Amino acid sequence: MLYLGVDPGKQGAAVLLRGDGSLVSSLKLPHVGKDLDLTTLTIWLDCRCCDEGCSPDSVVAVIEALGSRPAPKMGASSAITMGKNWGRLDGWLSGIGCRYDIVQPKRWQTEICPGSGDPKPRSISACRRLIPSLDLTPGRKKKPDDNIADAACIAEYCRRTLGAAR
């Protein structure tokens, strides 16, 4: 069984974990223009599943829910694009036959990186502790990518909650 966590934002990411919590792979969500590239995402997941000797139907996923209001300083068209891409991810998971759940950010944050204040540093810290092999500064980045960290924490939440339900 593999556990997929998805942070669905424009700069979002997907992280795939094994049942023991070790890292299989991570990917920044691919886009073609403003739209999510589901073909690339499907190829990535298929390849990782083949490497692990399984198929996408043996993947359990959690996708972070979108808020009902756009983030501060987010324009209307950005909010629409984000909602459209979230819907594409929701449909994609259904289409590949993946069992999945939708989780509010506060819920997975409370479970995986509890505390108060800005959740981004807590997510990065929890990710480094739980999945030390995950590169949070891919390419030339110097600052840790909180979107990858969030996706990893969501995958860990998936493993802990949906893994136990299997």
Side-chain angles (χ1 to χ4, degrees):
M1 183 65 54
L2 298 177
Y3 301 93
L4 176 65
V6 182
D7 176 15
K10 172 73 173 165
Q11 300 298 319
V15 172
L16 199 57
L17 299 178
R18 292 180 187 90
D20 64 3
S22 61
L23 178 68
V24 174
S25 185
S26 67
L27 174 76
K28 290 293 285 181
L29 291 182
H31 289 83
V32 174
K34 291 182 179 181
D35 292 330
L36 194 59
D37 183 356
L38 296 178
T39 302
T40 299
L41 198 54
T42 302
I43 291 167
W44 171 78
L45 185 61
D46 283 345
C47 290
R48 296 315 164 276
C49 289
C50 287
D51 291 348
E52 294 294 314
C54 65
S55 62
D57 64 350
S58 59
V59 174
V60 179
V62 168
I63 182 172
E64 185 179 63
L66 290 183
S68 59
R69 289 186 285 181
K73 299 182 182 179
M74 180 185 280
S77 67
S78 294
I80 290 168
T81 299
M82 191 169 179
K84 184 171 96 175
N85 283 337
W86 190 92
R88 289 171 63 90
L89 283 168
D90 183 46
W92 173 71
L93 289 169
S94 293
I96 63 171
C98 181
R99 187 172 73 108
Y100 70 100
D101 199 3
I102 299 162
V103 66
Q104 294 294 326
K106 291 276 188 209
R107 177 114 185 223
W108 70 259
Q109 290 165 358
T110 299
E111 175 82 22
I112 305 301
C113 50
S116 60
D118 187 359
K120 296 302 183 183
R122 292 194 331 261
S123 174
I124 290 167
S125 177
C127 181
R128 285 181 169 154
R129 182 175 37 53
L130 295 167
I131 311 163
S133 61
L134 180 59
D135 182 9
L136 294 178
T137 55
R140 295 182 158 168
K141 289 187 72 115
K142 291 188 169 65
K143 182 180 171 191
D145 188 320
D146 57 75
N147 299 294
I148 296 173
D150 284 357
C153 290
I154 294 166
E156 177 60 18
Y157 172 85
C158 178
R159 189 181 75 81
R160 291 181 186 185
T161 59
L162 298 181
R166 218 30 168 157

